[in-house]
Amino acid sequence: MSRSKSISAAYRLAHERYADLGVDVDRALKALAKIPVSLQCWQGDDVGGFENFGNALGGGIAVTGNYPGKARTPAELRADLEKALSLIPGKHRLNLHAFYGEFGGKRVDRDEIETAHFKNWIAWAKSNGLGLDFNPTCFSHPKAADGFTLSHRDKGIRNFWIEHCRRSREIGAAMGKALGTPCVTNVWIPDGFKDTPADRQSPRERLAAALDDVFKKPLPAKHNLDAVEPKLFGIGAESCTVGSHEFYLGYAITRRKLLCLDAGHFHPTESITDKISSVLLYLPEILLHVSRGVRWDSDHVVTFTDDLQAIAREIIATGHAERVHLGLDYFDASINRIAAWVIGTRNLLRALLLALLEPPAIRAAELAGDNTARLTLQEESKSLPFGAVWDFYCESKSVPVGEAWLAEVRKYEAEEFLNRR
Ligand code: RNT
Ligand code: ZN
């Protein structure tokens, strides 16, 4: 049997098996095709950006590894992204950071960025049918070197970052307008204390006031959606992070902003799974940074873990997947960077598919108070043939099935990365 025939045959059997359980596979695949994932541009160049001021990665985040082929220019990064996207089923988005602008060799500081610096990205996104998301870059900069930005005790430094974030929102809105799909502009700042602060309150008051300044100008939601991202700790900010979970949960609810839940930003055993349904009660939309912490917020490539499956399941189980914007957030330089994108994105999509294929009897058992049946069905459903459905989906979207995509990455690596030494 040819590969393609065996994929169809396996799919037919899986379809039948799921139909017996009351699962509509066709509907699940249609729903999956409508869920975009925002790929993080920063996986392609180790969170380096294109400013060329020689700023080292700061902000308490770290990339390790020295795999060859890191993108050095916007053109290389776009080519790498095109390769990655060609191996991922569905239509997706790109998440850009402000320091990935194209500054034409000029020294454009963060408080001077404009939409013009992103015109190539916008044109590229348009021609590739991608939506764009955006982030101010409040790290890797001399004015962030002491670990504080929007909450800084120095008004001048605060204002510098306020201006940067304001401009970032405008750029986000311009992207959203140009592409006809709202840009989620996410504010994350590294601000925090290595050692016990004497005053935790004042920096938080300053941060709330600074954010209010950043968000003062209303922008149409059809162009730009503001998000804020809390964190528990970073390297060098172990004792107190100004923008903590409680800080931003309160901020987002009172100011009607999206809350960004990053899977790596809580205690190592704490999952964002259980937060989704709670936060959606109070906020119309949220953003997820799908990541994988290993012992700390290490931003490992997203793998098909129990945690990932649980997160995806919750998104689907709320019945409001369209209210949850999905972005990836990891950066690994120890393996091929294109493969890192492909592995993580395919895993997230695969986890969403698994969730969409959940037998309805599980929920029904719970409703009937039959916890024995619920557990039985939950466990038995783990070996249902969802892999056959996933393979069929990949084939129907004209992307490689199974590990076949790796050969394409290897070919690209051989042709392209040799020129990058
Ligand atoms: C850092 C945050 C933040 C960054 C990106 C690069 O801990 O997760 O989202 O990873 O902005
Ligand atoms: Zn994040």
Side-chain angles (χ1 to χ4, degrees):
M1 211 190 285
S2 75
R3 180 99 165 101
S4 173
K5 269 201 183 137
S6 67
I7 290 166
S8 311
Y11 176 66
R12 263 197 311 279
L13 291 173
H15 200 282
E16 238 173 71
R17 177 82 174 95
Y18 277 110
D20 287 347
L21 292 163
V23 177
D24 184 339
V25 173
D26 304 296
R27 205 170 72 190
L29 291 182
K30 274 200 196 101
L32 182 63
K34 286 202 195 109
I35 305 180
V37 174
S38 200
L39 271 70
Q40 73 288 36
C41 74
W42 52 92
Q43 165 58 54
D45 76 329
D46 313 343
V47 207
F50 298 127
E51 286 175 327
N52 292 319
F53 304 169
N55 291 326
L57 180 58
I61 53 179
V63 183
T64 58
N66 58 358
Y67 199 87
K70 160 176 162 175
R72 299 160 307 175
T73 62
E76 286 181 356
L77 187 55
R78 286 193 276 266
D80 292 357
L81 280 159
E82 280 175 34
K83 182 77 285 182
L85 287 162
S86 75
L87 306 172
I88 296 165
K91 279 270 154 219
H92 300 288
R93 307 176 61 86
L94 175 67
N95 198 2
L96 271 179
H97 241 284
F99 69 166
Y100 287 80
E102 288 170 78
F103 306 109
K106 287 201 209 78
R107 196 190 164 106
V108 175
D109 212 341
R110 303 270 172 91
D111 62 344
E112 298 165 336
I113 56 164
E114 290 170 9
T115 304
H117 301 127
F118 297 88
K119 66 173 197 305
N120 294 344
W121 281 113
I122 296 172
W124 176 80
K126 195 173 246 170
S127 65
N128 284 276
L130 299 168
L132 285 178
D133 297 304
F134 200 58
N135 308 258
T137 309
C138 302
F139 54 85
S140 304
H141 188 280
K143 286 199 167 71
D146 65 359
F148 290 87
T149 62
L150 289 177
S151 76
H152 206 286
R153 59 191 187 283
D154 179 312
K155 190 159 190 277
I157 295 185
R158 255 175 6 250
N159 284 342
F160 173 86
W161 292 111
I162 289 171
E163 185 58 24
H164 174 60
C165 292
R166 269 195 202 132
R167 284 171 179 253
S168 295
R169 295 177 70 227
E170 300 270 4
I171 294 166
M175 289 173 166
K177 190 172 179 195
L179 300 170
T181 165
C183 171
V184 179
T185 302
N186 176 52
V187 176
W188 171 72
I189 58 162
D191 300 29
F193 295 85
K194 182 182 178 84
D195 268 322
T196 314
D199 176 9
R200 297 167 192 258
Q201 187 81 54
S202 305
R204 290 189 165 129
E205 286 167 1
R206 289 193 293 265
L207 177 55
L211 289 167
D212 285 347
D213 274 353
V214 167
F215 297 130
K216 196 170 279 159
K217 181 174 169 189
L219 295 172
K222 65 174 195 287
H223 299 152
N224 181 73
L225 297 168
D226 298 307
V228 288
E229 182 180 6
K231 187 167 180 175
L232 177 66
F233 79 98
I235 300 172
E238 290 85 357
S239 298
C240 169
T241 290
V242 180
S244 61
H245 182 56
E246 290 72 16
F247 176 90
Y248 277 122
L249 180 62
Y251 192 87
I253 292 172
T254 52
R255 271 66 164 189
R256 308 314 280 166
K257 300 297 169 198
L258 276 69
L259 185 72
C260 171
L261 295 171
D262 182 312
H265 285 196
F266 297 88
H267 283 280
T269 56
E270 186 176 356
S271 171
I272 61 170
T273 302
D274 193 45
K275 305 183 190 302
I276 296 168
S277 54
S278 297
V279 173
L280 282 180
L281 277 183
Y282 304 107
L283 292 172
E285 292 175 58
I286 61 171
L287 169 65
L288 298 193
H289 271 187
V290 181
S291 187
R292 179 168 58 103
V294 178
R295 301 189 189 279
W296 63 288
D297 178 36
S298 54
D299 295 284
H300 278 63
V301 176
V302 166
T303 53
F304 200 62
T305 57
D306 286 351
D307 192 43
L308 178 70
Q309 292 170 45
I311 291 168
R313 195 216 159 254
E314 275 310 303
I315 297 168
I316 301 304
T318 61
H320 296 291
E322 75 290 347
R323 290 169 57 195
V324 182
H325 299 262
L326 292 175
L328 294 163
D329 188 10
Y330 53 79
F331 20 96
D332 189 342
S334 74
I335 60 171
N336 181 298
R337 293 170 185 77
I338 298 172
W341 271 316
V342 177
I343 293 167
T345 317
R346 285 175 67 119
N347 274 330
L348 175 53
L349 294 170
R350 210 191 324 252
L352 289 164
L353 174 62
L354 183 60
L356 287 160
L357 293 172
E358 180 176 293
I362 294 177
R363 212 181 255 248
E366 178 167 292
L367 206 57
D370 188 348
N371 294 344
T372 309
R374 183 185 61 189
L375 188 58
T376 304
L377 295 166
Q378 280 171 333
E379 293 310 296
E380 287 301 329
S381 73
K382 288 179 179 168
S383 54
L384 286 173
F386 89 97
V389 181
W390 169 250
D391 287 351
F392 173 83
Y393 182 68
C394 288
E395 191 169 74
S396 74
K397 295 291 175 195
S398 309
V399 303
V401 171
E403 71 293 344
W405 62 262
L406 183 58
E408 303 232 3
V409 171
R410 291 282 183 232
K411 187 161 162 269
Y412 184 86
E413 189 172 70
E415 287 163 2
E416 180 62 29
F417 288 1
L418 282 179
N419 310 321
R420 293 191 190 175
R421 283 169 204 237

